[in-house]
């Protein structure tokens, strides 16, 4: 990949993929790349890595907090309440009085939406 610098102060770059010649714009300050992978995954894509390597930037800065171990530890900070034995739970979430498996309810609802051909 070839990296052309648009504006180092604003962290905007042009990345040319080899051998296809496809050109993409990368804006590190807004965390945007034309491939969309950077925005969707909130992790640096290969174009961001190319920009960081070209400019000797630390790519860790562009990893979203949701992927950091410190945030993951916060999820397990509190105790989870046990759900009980799944076979004894009534399917209250669907408004049913008798216990049904979610699979049965799903099959019923999906057949109402998309009836099977006869």
């Amino acid at each position: 990949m070839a990296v052309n610098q648009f504006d180092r102060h604003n962290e905007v770059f042009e990345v040319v993929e080899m051998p296809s010649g496809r050109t993409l714009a990368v804006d590190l300050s807004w965390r945007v790349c034309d491939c969309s992978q950077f925005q969707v995954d909130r992790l640096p894509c290969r174009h961001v890595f190319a920009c960081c390597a070209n400019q000797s930037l630390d790519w860790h800065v562009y990893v979203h907090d949701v992927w950091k171990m410190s945030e993951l530890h916060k999820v397990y900070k509190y105790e989870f309440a046990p759900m009980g034995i799944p076979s004894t739970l009534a399917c209250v979430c669907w408004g049913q009085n008798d216990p049904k498996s979610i699979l049965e309810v799903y099959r019923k609802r999906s057949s109402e939406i998309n009836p099977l051909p006869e």
Side-chain angles (χ1 to χ4, degrees):
M1 280 189 225
V3 177
N4 299 320
Q5 183 176 322
F6 276 155
D7 185 358
R8 180 167 165 83
H9 178 70
N10 292 323
E11 300 176 320
V12 179
F13 303 92
E14 177 186 67
V15 178
V16 181
E17 289 185 336
M18 303 296 182
S20 68
R22 183 175 144 196
T23 304
L24 297 108
V26 177
D27 188 338
L28 296 177
S29 60
W30 285 92
R31 290 173 162 65
V32 174
C33 178
D34 283 349
C35 76
S36 304
Q37 193 174 2
F38 193 23
Q39 299 91 287
V40 172
D41 296 337
R42 295 182 176 194
L43 283 170
C45 62
R46 59 187 176 168
H47 309 107
V48 172
F49 284 122
C51 293
C52 290
N54 182 276
Q55 298 295 312
S56 300
L57 300 172
D58 181 19
W59 61 268
H60 292 93
V61 174
Y62 303 106
V63 175
H64 193 274
D65 288 344
V66 74
W67 293 107
K68 296 181 181 172
M69 289 302 287
S70 58
E71 295 300 310
L72 182 65
H73 287 256
K74 288 179 185 177
V75 172
Y76 297 102
K77 183 178 177 181
Y78 302 101
E79 186 176 329
F80 289 92
M83 290 180 55
I85 303 169
S87 60
T88 62
L89 295 176
C91 192
V92 226
C93 56
W94 299 98
Q96 305 292 328
N97 293 331
D98 55 314
K100 290 186 179 182
S101 73
I102 292 177
L103 184 58
E104 289 175 22
V105 175
Y106 173 76
R107 284 182 183 155
K108 180 182 175 194
R109 291 198 174 189
S110 63
S111 65
E112 291 170 359
I113 296 170
N114 300 320
L116 296 173
E118 295 182 22

